[in-house]
Amino acid sequence: MQSYPVPPGYARMGAAALPRLLADLPGVPERLGGGPDRWSAGEISDGNMNAVFRVRGPAGSVVVKQALPYIRSIGESWPFPVSRATFEHRAMIEHGTHAPGQLPELIGWREDLALIVMEDLSEHVVLRHALVAGRRFPRLAQDLGRYLARTLVLTSDHAMTTSRKTRLVEAFAGNAVLCQTTQDVVFTGPYWNAPLNRLTPGQEALAAEFRSDGALKAAATEMKHIFRSRAEALIHGDLHTGSVMVRRGDTRVIDPEWAFMGPMAFDIGALIGNLLLAHASQPGHAGERTDHAEWILETAAGLWAAFAREFRTLARPDADGTLIPEVAGDGTADAFIDARLRDIFAETLGFAGAKMIRRILGISHVEDFEMIADVPTRAACEAVALRTARRLLLERRSLTSMAEVTALARAMSAGE
Amino acid sequence: MQSYPVPPGYARMGAAALPRLLADLPGVPERLGGGPDRWSAGEISDGNMNAVFRVRGPAGSVVVKQALPYIRSIGESWPFPVSRATFEHRAMIEHGTHAPGQLPELIGWREDLALIVMEDLSEHVVLRHALVAGRRFPRLAQDLGRYLARTLVLTSDHAMTTSRKTRLVEAFAGNAVLCQTTQDVVFTGPYWNAPLNRLTPGQEALAAEFRSDGALKAAATEMKHIFRSRAEALIHGDLHTGSVMVRRGDTRVIDPEWAFMGPMAFDIGALIGNLLLAHASQPGHAGERTDHAEWILETAAGLWAAFAREFRTLARPDADGTLIPEVAGDGTADAFIDARLRDIFAETLGFAGAKMIRRILGISHVEDFEMIADVPTRAACEAVALRTARRLLLERRSLTSMAEVTALARAMSAGE
């Protein structure tokens, strides 16, 4: 397998070496308080990709994330470029400018070590865990809709001159290995017997059906083509519910290492698709889940509504001549924005469907289903999600509102 | 107005200085024969943009094209980057690889002077002149369809790995000033009273109607957004009938200085739109033009048919995993290619409409109409083209075949 160069001086950091390193990083000692001899560091790696540490001092704590030259959860057999930390760092700066308060604060950066120091969100929980646990967050839909609209519109042609946008295209073009990986694991692998795919026992028949469904595979290929060829906005690139940290009244988005100039709908669809996975999984979890399942659907609908509302404001004609000048009352801007939202909505449903399928038929599964111990129940919940996802992909242009989408999800869960 | 840097050593070349310059360019002396004292050079600038010369020697001739730091036809009041010659040179190499024999041969290159030496197509004529003159070329549709399919598909995700395509994106990102100019003069300027717009007397009412038509302006803005945000393929970027040179049995495409990674349909739509302009102009030219007008429509339809036929072959699944692996007989590839062609066709009609409107309501007019001396006749022919264009833009998704498009053009010409 291909390996990728690391910067000169790159070395994998262990917890023990971190205090000495952080002592020399501007901004960090003040945050921790005291001196490095009073700081303690421990590994808290949780996601698939990187080494993550928490470092505590007398005055506070920080999180340290280091990209490894391979995928942590798989090992050295899957080399992966550490340059992804550079793109994550750039995306945190760019997105942080547009959506202040919705990312962890960036505290320190060592490009040679592919190492980012950021705010410790120790009072937040990962949204996916919270959804499995049955917790609700009233502001979640509004916060995520706002985050999506601001990070996406403000890095797109709706708000940027061609020369500024071109600089963003150039700044993120180098993240091509991660784009290629997304293409493989999201859009290709799930649709054939790729070696690292995994199936819940009992899912074999539906998997075989999907893998010989030419119309479905053509739709997934269309979404792959859109993913590859639309340089619309600086997207997060992996915006599932494991990339969102929440506590009451506060929502943060983490881990934009997959960022590149891609289609807006990929981020929106990732969130909506993962909420629909959470919805389909609810009957498998302990306790009365009817209200919680309904709240998840309301959140998906509310997220789109909040995005669309902010989009209407942010994507108006501006001084750069981004849009055709409107003659008072001729309706150009409204008609254009309506058309854009229609296109983004259809693509959002397509990406949501693709992201749902890949979490059940592909390499990387989600804890929404994995935490369901009873295998036949798990397979049944997954099957509901798969059938919903297929319809989203195939009917993405005829479904025209989130009300229809949530009605579809409800009907599929009810076995209709 | 902003000006743009020129390379160190850049100087505008006059005809007299060319023989000495070319004597030192590898490949050129052999082509001309004898020595520079036996070579004669003369300026033949014809297009809007650059200085162009022909240099003759005892054994043959070459064409020399130098980019000036402004737009030649307007003057120093409109500065324009000479780096466009670098992008033209790169595009000639890339497109020439994919469509051998369909571009002029590249003979020499001086990046410091923004100067390209190429094959002299002295037996060819500019297609636009030929259409005005009533000349026909039986292979034209097939040649242009093949050129489009090969240059577009083979530089797109259909045939390139992500890393190769990313290198093309980077190589052409710097051509942003020209992209911005296209946005301004094609998609924005025609729809308001931009200072350099020009109208044929008698066109004022229709111009005012178009400029307060919110639905039309929204459609043009959608096309502008597609132009800006689709990094599909290395497109020519200015593929009108003045960028095509023809003689019986041979078709060449010149002047790709506007090249960048954009939507395939922009090139296809430019050609079809300019053929429809030629069609609408026929009643204004001398002689019996009914058959010629019909041949132009057949050429437009044949061009699309040839493109679609080659697209079906070139865009098949390939070894790079560009498409989802097809299980024998499940129809994935055909369904995907059908969907792609439907999208490209709709966008082609949108771009064709936009390119037609901009040649009548914008800054840059075409000789198809300018050569009609009788002003009311010219205005009437233009009005047919404008009304056809508006319908292409507004009905681009409901018109589903070139037969419908040519029927529309015929009906509009007949005053229906």
Side-chain angles (χ1 to χ4, degrees):
Chain A
M1 233 176 184
Q2 190 180 0
S3 72
Y4 303 97
V6 294
Y10 177 88
R12 181 166 178 176
M13 302 301 294
L18 282 178
R20 187 188 306 260
L21 177 78
L22 298 188
D24 294 331
L25 266 189
V28 179
E30 306 86 295
R31 189 67 64 120
L32 295 172
D37 51 323
R38 299 179 59 198
W39 302 345
S40 63
E43 185 159 356
I44 55 167
S45 305
D46 174 40
N48 289 326
M49 305 284 300
N50 305 291
V52 183
F53 306 87
R54 174 174 286 128
V55 183
R56 294 185 192 279
S61 60
V62 298
V63 160
V64 177
K65 177 175 177 178
Q66 185 181 36
L68 307 179
Y70 50 85
I71 293 183
R72 192 185 62 84
S73 66
I74 292 179
E76 304 196 12
S77 65
W78 192 325
F80 218 51
V82 301
S83 61
R84 63 189 187 270
T86 298
F87 300 110
E88 176 167 2
H89 179 248
R90 287 180 191 165
M92 285 184 76
I93 292 171
E94 185 72 27
H95 283 166
T97 303
H98 301 304
Q102 298 205 262
L103 280 71
E105 185 190 347
L106 182 61
I107 298 169
W109 168 233
R110 279 282 298 264
E111 183 156 25
D112 56 339
L113 296 173
L115 182 149
I116 300 174
V117 184
M118 66 186 91
E119 183 181 1
D120 180 16
L121 300 172
S122 58
E123 304 199 352
H124 292 66
V125 293
V126 173
L127 176 57
R128 195 186 298 284
H129 303 339
L131 295 172
V132 171
R135 294 182 57 191
R136 304 183 205 169
F137 300 87
R139 278 188 38 180
L140 182 64
Q142 179 191 323
D143 285 351
L144 289 176
R146 176 180 181 276
Y147 164 85
L148 288 167
R150 294 192 62 85
T151 57
L152 298 175
V153 176
L154 298 179
T155 60
S156 79
D157 292 305
H158 292 282
M160 281 195 165
T161 61
T162 296
S163 61
R164 274 198 65 207
K165 191 188 146 193
T166 300
R167 285 198 293 275
L168 274 188
V169 168
E170 291 175 312
F172 287 89
N175 215 8
V177 174
L178 273 73
C179 293
Q180 180 67 56
T181 303
T182 298
Q183 289 154 217
D184 295 343
V185 302
V186 175
F187 296 106
T188 311
Y191 300 90
W192 68 289
N193 268 324
L196 295 172
N197 285 348
R198 190 157 61 74
L199 287 183
T200 296
Q203 214 63 279
E204 297 80 4
L206 202 49
E209 190 185 316
F210 275 42
R211 288 172 185 159
S212 61
D213 182 337
L216 177 70
K217 288 160 66 181
T221 309
E222 281 188 76
M223 298 319 300
K224 177 161 66 171
H225 183 263
I226 291 173
F227 175 80
R228 287 170 74 151
S229 63
R230 300 282 174 86
E232 280 181 10
L234 180 62
I235 69 174
H236 178 285
D238 191 34
L239 192 51
H240 55 79
T241 48
S243 298
V244 178
M245 308 272 296
V246 280
R247 65 171 169 78
R248 203 153 192 89
D250 195 54
T251 308
R252 308 288 186 102
V253 173
I254 62 171
D255 293 347
E257 64 205 290
W258 302 80
F260 77 110
M261 294 299 281
M264 295 187 184
F266 189 71
D267 279 358
I268 315 169
L271 274 176
I272 289 178
N274 276 273
L275 289 170
L276 294 177
L277 290 177
H279 175 260
S281 78
Q282 290 302 311
H285 298 302
E288 166 51 43
R289 293 288 183 132
T290 313
D291 285 358
H292 188 58
E294 192 54 34
W295 176 80
I296 292 172
L297 291 186
E298 283 163 17
T299 298
L303 176 162
W304 171 263
F307 166 77
R309 194 168 51 240
E310 292 254 359
F311 185 95
R312 284 191 182 281
T313 305
L314 297 172
R316 305 298 297 181
D318 67 11
D320 292 333
T322 301
L323 289 172
I324 287 171
E326 182 172 72
V327 175
D330 73 12
T332 304
D334 282 339
F336 171 66
I337 288 173
D338 286 346
R340 283 288 296 140
L341 282 172
R342 269 196 302 276
D343 287 347
I344 295 171
F345 187 71
E347 291 163 12
T348 291
L349 301 189
F351 285 127
K355 295 284 258 179
M356 292 168 75
I357 290 170
R358 81 98 158 190
R359 293 296 196 175
I360 302 171
L361 303 187
I363 173 179
S364 179
H365 287 227
V366 288
E367 131 193 1
D368 308 70
F369 296 120
E370 298 300 298
M371 299 286 282
I372 301 173
D374 182 64
V375 172
T377 304
R378 188 195 314 158
C381 289
E382 287 180 352
V384 165
L386 283 176
R387 293 197 177 95
T388 306
R390 171 159 58 185
R391 291 198 46 190
L392 293 179
L393 266 163
L394 293 176
E395 300 170 27
R396 64 190 189 277
R397 292 197 190 90
S398 50
L399 291 163
T400 59
S401 72
M402 279 304 291
E404 291 173 73
V405 172
T406 55
L408 171 67
R410 260 181 228 110
M412 300 302 278
S413 278
E416 287 165 23
Chain B
M1 232 176 183
Q2 189 181 0
S3 73
Y4 304 97
V6 295
Y10 177 89
R12 182 166 176 176
M13 303 300 294
L18 282 178
R20 186 189 307 259
L21 177 78
L22 298 187
D24 293 330
L25 265 190
V28 179
E30 306 85 296
R31 189 68 64 120
L32 296 172
D37 52 322
R38 299 180 59 197
W39 302 345
S40 63
E43 185 159 356
I44 55 167
S45 306
D46 174 39
N48 290 326
M49 306 284 300
N50 305 291
V52 183
F53 306 86
R54 174 174 286 127
V55 183
R56 295 185 192 279
S61 60
V62 297
V63 160
V64 177
K65 177 175 178 179
Q66 183 181 36
L68 307 179
Y70 50 86
I71 294 182
R72 193 184 62 85
S73 65
I74 292 179
E76 303 196 12
S77 65
W78 192 327
F80 218 50
V82 300
S83 62
R84 64 191 187 270
T86 299
F87 300 110
E88 176 167 2
H89 179 248
R90 288 180 189 164
M92 285 184 75
I93 291 172
E94 184 72 28
H95 283 167
T97 303
H98 301 303
Q102 298 206 261
L103 280 72
E105 186 189 347
L106 181 63
I107 299 169
W109 167 233
R110 278 283 298 263
E111 183 156 25
D112 56 339
L113 295 173
L115 181 148
I116 300 174
V117 184
M118 67 186 89
E119 182 182 2
D120 180 16
L121 300 171
S122 59
E123 304 200 349
H124 291 65
V125 293
V126 173
L127 176 57
R128 195 187 298 283
H129 302 340
L131 295 172
V132 171
R135 293 182 58 191
R136 303 183 206 167
F137 300 88
R139 277 187 40 177
L140 181 63
Q142 179 191 323
D143 286 351
L144 289 176
R146 176 180 180 277
Y147 163 86
L148 288 167
R150 294 193 62 85
T151 57
L152 298 176
V153 177
L154 298 179
T155 60
S156 80
D157 293 305
H158 292 281
M160 281 195 166
T161 61
T162 297
S163 60
R164 275 198 65 208
K165 191 187 147 194
T166 300
R167 286 198 291 275
L168 274 188
V169 168
E170 291 175 312
F172 287 89
N175 215 8
V177 173
L178 273 73
C179 293
Q180 179 69 55
T181 303
T182 298
Q183 289 154 214
D184 294 344
V185 302
V186 175
F187 296 105
T188 311
Y191 300 90
W192 68 288
N193 268 325
L196 294 172
N197 285 348
R198 189 158 61 75
L199 288 182
T200 296
Q203 215 62 280
E204 298 80 4
L206 203 48
E209 189 185 316
F210 275 43
R211 288 171 186 161
S212 61
D213 182 337
L216 177 69
K217 288 159 68 183
T221 309
E222 281 187 77
M223 298 319 299
K224 177 161 65 172
H225 183 262
I226 291 173
F227 175 80
R228 288 171 73 150
S229 63
R230 300 281 174 86
E232 280 182 11
L234 180 62
I235 70 173
H236 178 285
D238 191 34
L239 193 51
H240 54 80
T241 48
S243 298
V244 178
M245 308 273 297
V246 279
R247 65 172 169 79
R248 202 153 194 88
D250 195 52
T251 308
R252 308 288 186 103
V253 173
I254 62 171
D255 293 347
E257 63 205 291
W258 302 79
F260 77 110
M261 293 299 281
M264 295 187 184
F266 189 72
D267 279 359
I268 315 169
L271 274 175
I272 289 178
N274 276 273
L275 289 170
L276 294 176
L277 290 177
H279 175 260
S281 77
Q282 290 302 311
H285 299 302
E288 166 51 42
R289 293 289 182 132
T290 314
D291 286 357
H292 188 58
E294 192 54 33
W295 176 80
I296 292 172
L297 291 186
E298 283 163 17
T299 299
L303 175 162
W304 171 263
F307 166 77
R309 193 168 52 240
E310 292 254 358
F311 185 95
R312 284 191 182 280
T313 305
L314 297 172
R316 305 298 297 182
D318 67 10
D320 292 333
T322 300
L323 289 173
I324 288 172
E326 182 171 72
V327 175
D330 74 11
T332 304
D334 281 339
F336 171 66
I337 288 174
D338 286 346
R340 284 287 296 141
L341 282 171
R342 270 196 301 275
D343 287 347
I344 295 171
F345 187 71
E347 291 164 12
T348 292
L349 301 190
F351 285 127
K355 294 284 257 179
M356 292 168 76
I357 290 170
R358 81 97 159 191
R359 293 296 196 175
I360 302 172
L361 303 187
I363 174 178
S364 180
H365 288 226
V366 288
E367 136 193 355
D368 308 71
F369 297 120
E370 298 301 296
M371 299 285 283
I372 301 172
D374 182 64
V375 172
T377 303
R378 188 196 312 159
C381 289
E382 288 180 352
V384 166
L386 284 176
R387 294 199 175 93
T388 305
R390 171 159 58 185
R391 291 197 47 188
L392 293 180
L393 265 164
L394 293 176
E395 299 169 27
R396 64 190 188 276
R397 292 196 189 91
S398 49
L399 292 163
T400 59
S401 72
M402 279 304 290
E404 291 173 72
V405 172
T406 55
L408 172 67
R410 260 179 228 111
M412 300 302 278
S413 277
E416 287 165 24

